């Protein structure tokens, strides 16, 4: 297996087709394809192999040494074979790699969220530039705002503090 294959977010679902290292811009570009054979419709969960078309997504990934990393991800659109499903065509999902419509990989987003939660917008932006992420403060704050709220825990025991205007009366 080629060395750059180990850098991919998922070796099980992605195959490295080619790579390009640009020393002038410090950019590493990895051209990868999805290799999952069967995918499920996101609406009805019916599995299908019937390909409609292919297209390319550009995703920012974690930087490698001093190189920024971009994934050119070739993904497919599939027909849903369930005749009663409202979704006729859908794009394959790669939850181990990225979210639908996202412009960065999940692991890169997780890194930015960790920076944003620790430092906030302005300081997080300064650190992200120092680490080679080149991310704006508004992006960090947007990613934090997208996080789900923590679950509300119902207390099992309630304590009530004693209160009295006069001593020995409660
Ligand atoms: Zn469907």
């Amino acid at each position: 297996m080629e060395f750059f294959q180990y850098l991919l977010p998922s070796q099980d679902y992605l195959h490295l087709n080619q790579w390009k290292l640009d020393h002038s811009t410090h950019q590493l570009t990895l051209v990868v394809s999805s290799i999952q054979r069967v995918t499920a419709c996101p609406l009805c969960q019916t599995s299908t192999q019937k390909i409609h078309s292919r297209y390319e997504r550009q995703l920012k990934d974690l930087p490698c040494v001093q190189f920024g990393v971009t994934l050119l991800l070739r993904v497919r659109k599939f027909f849903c074979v369930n005749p009663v499903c409202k979704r006729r065509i859908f794009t394959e999902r790669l939850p181990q790699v990225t979210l639908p419509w996202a412009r960065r990989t999940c692991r890169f987003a997780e890194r930015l969220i960790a920076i944003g939660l620790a430092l906030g917008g302005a300081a997080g932006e300064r650190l992200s530039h120092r680490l080679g992420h080149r991310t704006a403060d508004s992006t960090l704050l947007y990613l934090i705002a997208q996080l789900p709220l923590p679950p509300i825990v119902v207390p099992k025991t309630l304590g009530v503090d004693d209160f009295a205007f006069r001593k020995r009366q409660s």
Side-chain angles (χ1 to χ4, degrees), residues 119-154:
L119 298 174
E125 180 182 344
R126 286 194 297 275
L127 178 64
S128 75
H129 280 258
R130 185 82 178 152
L131 296 174
H133 299 337
R134 295 183 221 151
T135 304
D137 58 347
S138 58
T139 303
L140 295 175
L141 297 177
Y142 172 79
L143 289 171
I144 292 170
Q146 298 302 308
L147 290 176
L149 293 173
I152 298 171
V153 180
V154 179

Side-chain angles (χ1 to χ4, degrees), residues 79-146:
F79 290 104
C80 181
V81 293
N82 182 355
V84 296
C85 180
K86 291 180 180 175
R87 185 78 57 92
R88 304 295 307 273
I89 300 162
F90 66 91
T91 304
E92 65 180 322
R93 303 296 198 251
L94 292 162
Q96 306 81 6
V97 180
T98 188
L99 298 175
W101 304 287
R103 295 166 61 188
R104 57 186 66 85
T105 59
C106 291
R107 62 184 183 181
F108 187 35
E110 288 167 8
R111 173 78 57 88
L112 296 178
I113 289 168
I115 292 172
L117 287 174
L119 298 174
E125 180 182 344
R126 286 194 297 275
L127 178 64
S128 75
H129 280 258
R130 185 82 178 152
L131 296 174
H133 299 337
R134 295 183 221 151
T135 304
D137 58 347
S138 58
T139 303
L140 295 175
L141 297 177
Y142 172 79
L143 289 171
I144 292 170
Q146 298 302 308

Side-chain angles (χ1 to χ4, degrees), residues 23-97:
H23 290 278
S24 60
T25 58
H26 296 282
Q27 274 296 314
L28 170 62
T29 304
L30 303 173
V31 182
V32 295
S33 301
S34 166
I35 53 173
Q36 60 180 347
R37 296 197 171 183
V38 180
T39 188
C41 170
L43 204 61
C44 67
Q45 306 303 322
T46 305
S47 297
T48 180
Q49 293 179 304
K50 200 173 171 188
I51 296 174
H52 171 269
S53 59
R54 292 176 168 82
Y55 72 101
E56 201 167 78
R57 292 179 67 181
Q58 187 170 324
L59 302 170
K60 281 280 180 198
D61 199 8
L62 289 171
C64 178
V65 195
Q66 78 271 30
F67 292 96
V69 178
T70 301
L71 294 185
L72 292 181
L73 174 61
R74 292 176 180 160
V75 290
R76 298 159 294 181
K77 288 187 175 184
F78 288 86
F79 290 104
C80 181
V81 293
N82 182 355
V84 296
C85 180
K86 291 180 180 175
R87 185 78 57 92
R88 304 295 307 273
I89 300 162
F90 66 91
T91 304
E92 65 180 322
R93 303 296 198 251
L94 292 162
Q96 306 81 6
V97 180

